[in-house]
Amino acid sequence: MPVRTDVDIDALLALATTIALEAGGLLAERLRTAAELVETKSTITDMVTQVDRDSEALLVGRILAERPDDAVLGEEGGERAGTSGVRWVLDPLDGTTNYLYGYPAFAVSVGVEVDGELCVGVVHDAARDETFAAAHGRGATVAGRPASVSDKTDLATALVGTGFSYSRDDRTRQAATLTRVLPRVRDVRRAGAAALDLCWVGCGRLDGFYERGLQPWDLAAGSVIVREAGGRTTRLDDGTVVAAGPGLFDPLVSLVAGP
């Protein structure tokens, strides 16, 4: 993937890391009071808090203060056009339901595209104070250490992550897929934060991951981390995203896609 020579990828990675940590600090600080201002979005189970909005405002404000010509796509604030060819794709609080329940699986996700190609990804796990980061051609790290995907090749011994939609109809379809996958793998985990699931594939804590209905902000940073850690991702015709190391990728895609 060619990257423009006039774009400083290392500077983008540094800024993405800084702001993800700052937003993660906000999440940690507001954890005890987050339930005070809660609304729903697409369904009664799809919640948003003032913390989501404040975290996104922090991220966008810091980006535009340093790079006013960049575009921004955020889960809560919509899209802002830019002229630089660089776009930031933000999930200010991935795992809102977990956050509200105090369940320790929520994160800030910051992805960066250059001319439409994802080049930088940073995910800060605010519950564990752990940062995953990657940039084009520079590999992936977790807590500053090199990260790599699992070398698993056998589905029968694979630990696979998944997630479920907020839509009742989608959940019904996802349940059907789960009944096909679960008997064929070692076990299945559902953390409730796709950005973290992808990072865990990137560092080998999961051998693979699949989920239907993910949005750009769910995927942007995590997909860079998987790729730079040596793994692969794809989106199937039905919208299901699959991620795994190279040895498990094709078998997992075939299993999830079904007959």
Side-chain angles (χ1 to χ4, degrees):
M1 178 180 65
V3 178
R4 282 169 28 199
T5 57
D6 62 322
V7 175
D8 187 339
I9 297 297
D10 292 315
L12 292 175
L13 176 60
L15 179 56
T17 302
T18 297
I19 64 176
L21 286 167
E22 289 180 8
L26 173 67
L27 300 188
E29 178 184 335
R30 300 275 291 278
L31 181 60
R32 294 183 182 277
T33 60
E36 293 176 2
L37 293 172
V38 181
E39 301 172 18
T40 57
K41 296 192 289 186
S42 61
T43 72
I44 194 171
T45 56
D46 185 7
M47 293 180 288
V48 61
T49 72
Q50 188 60 43
V51 180
D52 293 75
R53 298 187 177 106
D54 290 347
S55 177
E56 185 164 314
L58 184 158
L59 294 169
V60 174
R62 291 283 281 111
I63 291 164
L64 297 183
E66 294 203 26
R67 300 185 57 88
D69 298 325
D70 289 358
V72 178
L73 174 64
E75 180 178 13
E76 308 306 335
E79 190 161 11
R80 177 192 183 277
T83 58
S84 66
V86 174
R87 185 172 78 152
W88 298 73
V89 185
L90 309 173
D91 193 337
L93 173 47
D94 185 38
T96 299
T97 300
N98 290 343
Y99 185 72
L100 288 170
Y101 278 79
Y103 187 86
F106 51 86
V108 179
S109 176
V110 179
V112 188
E113 298 173 346
V114 178
D115 296 335
E117 296 288 344
L118 283 164
C119 293
V120 169
V122 176
V123 176
H124 180 66
D125 181 340
R128 296 170 181 80
D129 193 24
E130 184 175 58
T131 304
F132 302 83
H136 174 69
R138 291 155 177 80
T141 61
V142 50
R145 301 183 300 275
S148 61
V149 296
S150 162
D151 61 0
K152 188 77 66 179
T153 60
D154 182 8
L155 280 172
T157 59
L159 183 64
V160 176
T162 192
F164 304 120
S165 169
Y166 293 113
S167 159
R168 180 178 299 178
D169 290 342
D170 283 345
R171 287 186 180 206
T172 300
R173 288 189 287 267
Q174 288 168 330
T177 302
L178 182 62
T179 61
R180 182 171 64 250
V181 172
L182 185 56
R184 297 278 305 281
V185 300
R186 169 168 279 158
D187 211 342
V188 172
R189 296 288 182 266
R190 192 274 205 250
L196 288 178
D197 287 319
L198 290 164
C199 290
W200 294 341
V201 172
C203 70
R205 293 177 191 169
L206 291 172
D207 297 307
F209 167 74
Y210 73 93
E211 185 172 347
R212 179 177 177 173
L214 295 178
Q215 300 299 318
W217 44 79
D218 298 314
L219 290 167
S223 62
V224 178
I225 291 163
V226 171
R227 183 188 74 212
E228 292 296 319
R232 296 171 62 189
T233 62
T234 191
R235 188 184 289 272
L236 306 180
D237 290 343
D238 70 350
T240 299
V241 170
V242 181
L248 197 71
F249 183 78
D250 288 337
L252 183 59
V253 167
S254 296
L255 177 60
V256 171

